[in-house]
Amino acid sequence: MAKFNLKRGNQQDVVTAEGAPGFTREPRTELFLLGVSNMVGEDTFYEGVADRDARFRELVAAVAVADPDWFARFVRWLRTGAMLRSASVVAALEGARAQVAAGIPGSRAVVDSALQRADEPGEAIAYWLGRHGRAMPKPVKRGIADAAVRLYHERSLLKYDADGSAVRFGDVIDLTHPTARDERQGDLFRHALDRRHKRDNPLPQSLTVLAARAELMALPVERRAEVTDPAVLGAAGMTWEALAGWRQTAMDAAAWEAVIPNMGYLALLRNLRNFDRAGVSDAVAEAVAARLADPDEVARSRVLPMRYLSAYNAAPSLRWAYPLEKALRQALANVPALDARTLILIDTSGSMNSAFSRDGTLRCWDAATVFGLALDARAREATVVSFSNASAVFPAVAGESVLAAVRRFKEGGFFYGRGTETGKAVREHYDRHDRVVILTDEQAHWQGAHDVTAAVPARVPVYTWNLAGYRVGHAPTAGNRHTFGGLSDAAFAMIPLIEAGSRGHWPF
């Protein structure tokens, strides 16, 4: 028996949410598309949260059993490549459950690979308890324990072991019994258990960061604003969030300037507006700007390009515009430099106004525009089109930065917000281009045609990036028609790989 019914990938027996002829996909492709666009527990424009999450779990269970090697690579990439936390944790746990039931080994390593931040072992247990109860298979326990050994240290305990968490560090240790890697971590594990069970045991001497934090906490509130030495705050593992609560006053310029040297890259990016509101000095702002634009910092941060657009939109001061543009260029370094002529179609229909980021600050059409214009900047000759019911070519401006182009796109009225007439846009704007890139949720309206890409010759590749992960697509995935999910540098790098004749259709 074949692993998958491959006919399903080209089957035209359904319609999109707007009534156009649709195409279902083989399970791995459907899982990939849903996984990279899935904010677990969130509604989308056409699909409710319960239906979407159930479809995700069902696909995970089927693929984990049918193709365990592919599934293991997919989960690791989903967390470390696509940088999606909730989707990767749910995928790892539900896949492990299905594999244990089918007698398939290897799920311990899959669970471990999905947990990359110190709060995630607790998140994984909370999800399992809430969905499947206390009977936890040994591979799931051991995978979570492996992650705890890798991720638990003094600073992570201070940051993530909060009283408000349903599953604390001590609970993870109680339930999974991790083996400490050394004596100091053993002391940490025992202290985490003491914290959880409110035991009044003395703090082990090896835990110097916790001791420094305890010393700061003992200071009277009225004296805390006097502590402005970054070295003192850093030795106590004081994050900016912790500092704000500890001082019990608003974060003024002195407070920000004390903690900025110890802040991570993403924390800096998220707080540019706060720095300006507090009035941090130009010298400090210059140091922040230098970090934001530093190529090594950008590479280590793994920040997705949409974050720079969000920061650019939020920051009131122009002093951040140039470093953010430089950072975005660094983040887009892996976007391919496309030769020949490229048609780039950006879906700005009403459904693309759905949330792309969990906090709602970026919409799907924001993300599509960032990448569409980034591809334009990297292409030798490109035509960029915004489409909904109507469509229009977005005029290029020589030497314009990507972020400035995004703002001009928005201010110029290129977000239409109506229907999704994809086939019409393809027919109107395809003019012997060498490739077509469509950034969309694929929910095309009825076009009176069997396929929205029918106007493009079969020899010309068409790449669809599906930003929403719906089950039904607007075109078959076969031959020179390729459909991917999400937006990442790894995904875009597949364009030249495919055109060079590579058979590796997955970014992992």
Side-chain angles (χ1 to χ4, degrees):
M1 180 185 294
K3 285 184 178 178
F4 301 105
N5 180 1
L6 297 180
K7 273 192 171 182
R8 187 182 175 200
N10 297 320
Q11 191 172 354
Q12 186 183 333
D13 56 359
V14 291
V15 295
T16 70
E18 292 291 349
F23 298 83
T24 53
R25 304 178 171 98
E26 63 98 349
R28 287 176 304 180
T29 301
E30 187 178 345
L31 176 59
F32 178 82
L33 286 173
L34 182 56
V36 297
S37 53
N38 194 22
M39 292 184 288
V40 174
E42 299 286 333
D43 287 317
T44 57
F45 194 89
Y46 291 111
E47 191 172 23
V49 57
D51 290 343
R52 189 176 181 85
D53 289 352
R55 179 161 67 94
F56 186 61
R57 291 192 301 271
E58 290 167 4
L59 283 166
V60 163
V63 174
V65 171
D67 196 341
D69 292 339
W70 184 94
F71 180 75
R73 289 184 285 117
F74 168 68
V75 170
R76 178 180 292 277
W77 177 84
L78 194 63
R79 182 62 184 91
T80 61
M83 305 295 287
L84 293 170
R85 297 182 60 224
S86 296
S88 56
V89 170
V90 172
L93 295 176
E94 294 292 346
R97 182 170 181 262
Q99 289 179 339
V100 168
I104 297 172
S107 52
R108 172 179 178 173
V110 174
V111 171
D112 180 31
S113 73
L115 308 178
Q116 297 294 322
R117 207 172 74 175
D119 58 334
E120 290 169 4
E123 289 284 323
I125 288 178
Y127 174 85
W128 187 276
L129 294 176
R131 181 143 198 94
H132 302 300
R134 294 188 64 86
M136 187 178 297
K138 185 175 291 186
V140 173
K141 281 187 179 182
R142 298 314 303 154
I144 295 173
D146 293 343
V149 172
R150 180 165 44 82
L151 298 169
Y152 282 6
H153 49 75
E154 288 181 82
R155 293 177 187 274
S156 65
L157 181 103
L158 286 170
K159 185 170 184 177
Y160 294 116
D161 188 39
D163 288 338
S165 298
V167 179
R168 302 277 300 276
F169 277 37
D171 297 317
V172 173
I173 294 165
D174 265 337
L175 289 170
T176 68
H177 307 292
T179 301
R181 61 176 171 266
D182 55 31
E183 184 176 347
R184 185 176 182 182
Q185 191 175 53
D187 289 342
L188 179 74
F189 285 177
R190 284 187 289 275
H191 178 68
L193 290 167
D194 289 341
R195 281 167 58 107
R196 183 66 180 99
H197 299 295
K198 302 187 186 305
R199 299 168 186 154
D200 192 21
N201 291 326
L203 183 70
Q205 292 184 354
S206 63
L207 305 182
T208 55
V209 177
L210 295 179
R213 174 66 69 89
E215 186 175 341
L216 287 182
M217 296 303 295
L219 280 176
V221 172
E222 60 272 15
R223 291 191 52 201
R224 292 177 182 181
E226 301 171 9
V227 182
T228 57
D229 185 345
V232 172
L233 296 175
M238 189 70 78
T239 64
W240 71 270
E241 301 98 330
L243 181 64
W246 175 69
R247 285 167 55 96
Q248 298 185 28
T249 59
M251 290 283 285
D252 57 16
W256 281 117
E257 291 175 5
V259 78
I260 279 173
N262 298 315
M263 289 175 67
Y265 188 91
L266 184 55
L268 293 176
L269 196 61
R270 286 173 168 168
N271 280 288
L272 300 182
R273 178 191 289 271
N274 290 330
F275 299 160
D276 284 342
R277 284 178 172 172
V280 301
S281 69
D282 288 341
V284 172
E286 287 175 7
V288 172
R291 281 192 64 191
L292 291 178
D294 181 82
D296 292 334
E297 291 268 9
V298 173
R300 282 195 298 270
S301 73
R302 305 293 301 279
V303 169
L304 293 174
M306 286 78 70
R307 291 282 189 188
Y308 297 106
L309 174 61
S310 183
Y312 181 75
N313 290 337
S317 171
L318 290 177
R319 65 184 175 181
W320 308 118
Y322 182 59
L324 287 174
E325 173 62 32
K326 288 179 67 177
L328 176 60
R329 288 179 183 173
Q330 296 292 339
L332 293 172
N334 290 329
V335 172
L338 301 177
D339 60 4
R341 299 176 65 240
T342 306
L343 174 61
I344 301 168
L345 295 160
I346 300 173
D347 180 354
T348 57
S349 62
S351 60
M352 287 287 285
N353 195 27
S354 297
F356 187 80
S357 60
R358 184 175 291 276
D359 61 8
T361 57
L362 285 179
R363 321 306 291 175
C364 283
W365 60 19
D366 291 322
T369 303
V370 169
F371 275 95
L373 296 179
L375 280 176
D376 177 36
R378 296 281 286 162
R380 190 178 78 182
E381 183 180 350
T383 305
V384 178
V385 173
S386 173
F387 74 92
S388 179
N389 287 79
S391 63
V393 174
F394 180 67
V397 174
E400 184 177 41
S401 72
V402 172
L403 287 176
V406 169
R407 179 163 290 180
R408 182 166 60 89
F409 192 99
K410 187 171 186 177
E411 294 175 350
F414 284 89
F415 289 133
Y416 291 119
R418 299 186 66 191
T420 313
E421 298 198 14
T422 315
K424 177 183 174 183
V426 173
R427 291 192 298 274
E428 288 182 356
H429 297 281
Y430 178 74
D431 182 19
R432 294 170 293 177
H433 291 85
D434 297 287
R435 69 180 63 81
V436 179
V437 176
I438 307 175
L439 301 154
T440 179
D441 61 7
E442 290 198 275
Q443 296 311 293
H445 279 267
W446 171 260
Q447 303 296 323
H450 69 282
D451 172 4
V452 301
T453 66
V456 182
R459 60 178 174 77
V460 175
V462 178
Y463 305 95
T464 298
W465 261 269
N466 181 315
L467 279 75
Y470 295 118
R471 175 174 178 265
V472 177
H474 65 196
T477 304
N480 259 336
R481 304 298 186 256
H482 309 279
T483 305
F484 307 104
L487 292 170
S488 71
D489 296 345
F492 276 93
M494 286 190 285
I495 293 177
L497 289 176
I498 291 171
E499 293 183 3
S502 169
R503 293 295 181 267
H505 291 276
W506 312 109
F508 46 80

